[in-house]
Amino acid sequence: MSATTHRYEDAVARYFEAWNAEDPAARAKAVAAAWTEDGAYTDPLADVSGHEGIAAVIAAAHEQFPGFEFRLSGGVDGHHDTARFSWELVSGADGSAPVAGSDVITLDGQGRIRAVLGFLDRVPAGA
């Protein structure tokens, strides 16, 4: 595995650490570790920038899906400063995954996320 591959996988690992942080203080710390200060997150339901905006989107996901965890689905693929990966939102109670998506991230020179473009591939009715 090349250093470049590790760069993408490390960034994605920090991304999931932020998305899975339930405690607000831990979430703020994880968001700061994963994103640049002016980092952005855009998906069909949100378009925010900055650590506070990103942390608020993550908190809202936890409120809507308590007891769920974001998990990588498949591998991480990347080139230059861009990586893509798929994920699922998995229930800790029964293992179901009602939500799934694919994200494309852009990294800065230190491997922190500058931007996320998220796509929802599977969403439950009424969500």
Side-chain angles (χ1 to χ4, degrees), residues 14-127:
R14 287 190 305 273
Y15 176 84
F16 282 111
E17 185 176 332
W19 275 96
N20 289 321
E22 294 184 24
D23 173 72
R27 183 180 310 123
K29 183 177 178 179
V31 167
W35 272 269
T36 61
E37 287 187 32
D38 61 346
Y41 178 86
T42 303
D43 72 14
L45 306 173
D47 186 10
V48 298
S49 61
H51 292 169
E52 287 183 19
I54 293 165
V57 167
I58 293 170
H62 282 276
E63 288 174 18
Q64 186 173 2
F65 295 97
F68 282 74
E69 178 180 84
F70 287 88
R71 294 187 190 159
L72 183 64
S73 175
V76 177
D77 183 29
H79 62 82
H80 296 85
D81 290 333
T82 305
R84 66 179 177 169
F85 57 93
S86 295
W87 52 267
E88 292 183 315
L89 185 59
V90 180
S91 169
D94 65 13
S96 65
V99 182
S102 300
D103 291 352
V104 176
I105 61 174
T106 305
L107 304 177
D108 72 359
Q110 287 72 47
R112 291 174 66 206
I113 299 169
R114 289 187 308 175
V116 175
L117 296 176
F119 298 85
L120 298 174
D121 301 326
R122 181 174 64 239
V123 180

